[in-house]
Amino acid sequence: MKHFFDRTFLFFVLSLILVGVVIYNSIPRNKPANMGVAAIQKTQLSDFKDDFATIDKGDSLTILGVDFSDFRFLVATKDGQRGWIPQEAVDNKGIIYNVELITENEKTAVKNGDTVTFLEQTGDQYNRMMEFKTVDGEQGEVRVHNLTTLTGNNLLKYEYNGGDYYLSKKKFEEKYIGKTFEENEKLYRPAILVKKTPKGLSAQYDLRVFDKNDGKFYSPTITYENGVATSYTTDYIRMPNSFFLKYLPLVSTFLDMDFFSQLISSNAFEIGDIDKDSHPIWFKIAGYILLVFVLIGVIGFLFFLNQIIPFLMFGLLRFRYPLIFISNNIFQKIIWAVIIICTYIWLVLGLCYPLHWWYFIPILLIATWWLTPKILEWFDDFPSNRCPECKSLYTIEYDSEEFMREYQEWRKETKSTRIGSRSSSEWVHDTEITKWSDGSTSSRAVNQRKVTHTTNTYNNDVYDVLYLVREYKQTYKCEHCGFEEYGSRKESKELDRKYKGSYIDTTTTHSGY
């Protein structure tokens, strides 16, 4: 147990946390809810801004996802179009989870958890309100803030996240253009918005298409004619690192590897916020405790992901296998190569994510510069922490000592003695100058402080000293395989001392600045 919680254990645990974050992020959450409903009122199908189709009362719809912040459903119509509609268009029953969001609540008897009937939305996009009626017939008004219908409450795990998948322009054109709508639906992300056109459909996808020519990302809208993707248009996605991505090599190559792309891609749907008013208090407390570990993992994911393979390799040393066939010297060289390669890959992916270069690059490089020696220095210890022969850890212990030789040698030594000291003090200050509107200036003393100067005088006696030196060979042996490492020890005994002269020097120190 002496070395159980050592550096290899710590790095192995950190690597497992990072692996856990990677696995969680790699789990696809892009399958829509596919809940069949019918419109209970006439409404408009819209994209993120404008209406483009009419939904009549009684029309069959399929709910794909939900946006709680804007109180709307992402739906598909029978004729294949997709867009957003207000939640109350398919369900006018909802639960009030936070009565503090009700205006003039003293006029109603509504309590947290009460079910009400939604009437209509009022206000503007900055202050949207929902009028409602209670079971007792009282009417009130509540802010549309994480408000949801009973239907929406059953779709918490289908909260639309606007998840984007990263790929290069070349890969996008190879994968999507010339394919049918059904084929493209099975790829990385389903179409988020689908509109009918005179010749077919236009579909907008949550993709970030990278163009190496300018280092920028674009969101594509594909035009389908006779069921086949024939062309596309793009909208520029404003991102901060275009200059670097334009000139860094292998950006498109990394993005076109599904594993790397998934590391930075987000999912279309995410589980609802743990702070929703509908959750019980015990759920929220457990969620916040878990959130602490998640944040640690997220921070590690953002700035230490390049270390996941080095950490894992270093942690595996404590188990001997599968690295038993790699020597200590070769292992250090492999670690160096892996760190350099992984750091560059994560540098590129992080800039695509996008993490702003002005903080991401310095933190990534400083973290790498600080953590790498923590691995490599472990191999410099004597005796070796890892047996070079059997690859066991912490099994090499002191075994014996053997006298080797003795000899005499002269050494120069200096003995210093303080023979005097003097101090002086003075008050100093800074001057603050103010320039007034009429052109005149004034000054005043600020930050007054006392500064002390101390000068010490030393007499230094110089000697030639003769020592008898004894050298010993120390043997350290592995408890498992018998492998031996050798060290040395010296002990010195003074035989003679000759005075060679003296000199005087002074040093001055300052305090109070």
Side-chain angles (χ1 to χ4, degrees), residues 139-167:
Q139 292 192 14
E141 194 176 49
V142 63
R143 294 194 191 96
V144 180
H145 174 76
N146 284 335
L147 192 65
T148 185
T149 57
L150 294 180
T151 301
N153 196 57
N154 294 324
L155 298 173
L156 293 179
K157 66 178 181 180
Y158 294 101
E159 181 170 10
Y160 176 71
N161 187 52
D164 294 301
Y165 190 86
Y166 293 76
L167 71 169

Side-chain angles (χ1 to χ4, degrees), residues 26 63 339 432:
S26 300
I63 296 179
I339 289 175
E432 181 182 87

Side-chain angles (χ1 to χ4, degrees), residues 55 84 124 139 194 199 277 297 322 405 426 444 462 485:
I55 306 295
W84 297 96
D124 54 33
Q139 292 192 14
V194 179
K199 294 184 179 181
D277 299 305
R405 64 173 182 147
E426 62 176 324
R444 65 188 185 97
V462 182
E485 284 188 336

Side-chain angles (χ1 to χ4, degrees), residues 12 106 147 166 175 188 235 238 243 281 337 357 375 377 385 387 393 405 415 421 425 429 439 444 458 467 488-489:
F12 187 68
E106 67 278 359
L147 192 65
Y166 293 76
K175 288 284 187 179
Y188 308 106
D235 293 320
R238 190 173 185 84
F243 175 81
I281 187 65
W357 67 268
I375 297 177
E377 290 170 358
N385 290 318
C387 176
L393 265 58
R405 64 173 182 147
K415 181 180 180 181
S421 179
S425 300
H429 62 79
R444 65 188 185 97
Y458 295 89
Y467 284 96
S488 62
R489 182 178 68 86

Side-chain angles (χ1 to χ4, degrees), residues 140-408:
E141 194 176 49
V142 63
R143 294 194 191 96
V144 180
H145 174 76
N146 284 335
L147 192 65
T148 185
T149 57
L150 294 180
T151 301
N153 196 57
N154 294 324
L155 298 173
L156 293 179
K157 66 178 181 180
Y158 294 101
E159 181 170 10
Y160 176 71
N161 187 52
D164 294 301
Y165 190 86
Y166 293 76
L167 71 169
S168 72
K169 180 180 179 180
K170 178 181 178 182
K171 182 176 181 179
F172 166 75
E173 292 177 346
E174 291 175 350
K175 288 284 187 179
Y176 283 85
I177 305 304
K179 307 295 174 49
T180 66
F181 180 82
E182 290 73 20
E183 288 176 320
N184 288 342
E185 280 291 281
K186 298 176 182 179
L187 294 176
Y188 308 106
R189 296 290 186 273
I192 183 66
L193 296 174
V194 179
K195 302 177 183 179
K196 295 182 68 173
T197 64
K199 294 184 179 181
L201 298 172
S202 69
Q204 181 177 333
Y205 293 84
D206 284 334
L207 300 174
R208 293 196 176 191
V209 178
F210 176 69
D211 189 341
K212 183 63 177 177
N213 293 323
D214 56 15
K216 296 178 180 179
F217 286 88
Y218 296 87
S219 175
T221 298
I222 300 178
T223 299
Y224 292 87
E225 295 183 3
N226 300 320
V228 177
T230 57
S231 61
Y232 68 94
T233 59
T234 58
D235 293 320
Y236 168 57
I237 301 174
R238 190 173 185 84
M239 299 176 71
N241 305 315
S242 301
F243 175 81
F244 293 94
L245 297 175
K246 179 179 179 179
Y247 296 104
L248 286 174
L250 301 177
V251 177
S252 296
T253 302
F254 295 154
L255 289 178
D256 288 347
M257 297 181 183
D258 289 343
F259 174 75
F260 289 153
S261 181
Q262 187 60 38
L263 285 178
I264 58 175
S265 298
S266 52
N267 290 285
F269 303 104
E270 296 291 351
I271 295 175
D273 188 357
I274 63 173
D275 194 35
K276 283 191 180 299
D277 299 305
S278 57
H279 297 319
I281 187 65
W282 65 265
F283 184 90
K284 293 181 181 180
I285 294 174
Y288 288 130
I289 293 175
L290 179 62
L291 185 61
V292 173
F293 294 96
V294 172
L295 288 176
I296 293 174
V298 170
I299 293 173
F301 175 80
L302 294 179
F303 301 112
F304 305 129
L305 193 67
N306 63 312
Q307 298 285 344
I308 187 171
I309 297 179
F311 282 8
L312 186 60
M313 292 177 61
F314 186 57
L316 287 174
L317 291 179
R318 68 184 301 109
F319 304 107
R320 294 183 67 199
Y321 293 95
L323 302 178
I324 190 172
F325 304 106
I326 300 179
S327 69
N328 293 345
N329 186 43
I330 296 298
F331 183 86
Q332 294 180 73
K333 295 179 180 178
I334 293 176
I335 283 290
W336 264 117
V338 170
I339 289 175
I340 292 173
I341 294 172
C342 290
T343 299
Y344 182 72
I345 292 174
W346 186 236
L347 173 68
V348 170
L349 295 180
L351 291 175
C352 292
Y353 185 60
L355 298 170
H356 288 255
W357 67 268
W358 58 267
Y359 68 82
F360 173 64
I361 294 178
I363 292 178
L364 178 66
L365 296 182
I366 291 173
T368 303
W369 170 80
W370 181 72
L371 288 169
T372 301
K374 304 300 180 185
I375 297 177
L376 300 177
E377 290 170 358
W378 186 81
F379 291 93
D380 295 333
D381 291 345
F382 182 85
S384 299
N385 290 318
R386 182 181 186 236
C387 176
E389 186 66 28
C390 69
K391 309 306 189 293
S392 299
L393 265 58
Y394 308 115
T395 56
I396 300 179
E397 301 287 347
Y398 174 80
D399 181 69
S400 60
E401 183 176 81
E402 176 186 357
F403 173 75
M404 299 299 293
R405 64 173 182 147
E406 68 176 21
Y407 56 90
Q408 296 181 0

Side-chain angles (χ1 to χ4, degrees), residues 76-91:
T77 64
K78 291 183 66 175
D79 61 358
Q81 298 192 89
R82 297 178 189 175
W84 297 96
I85 63 171
Q87 286 195 38
E88 69 268 25
V90 296
D91 185 2

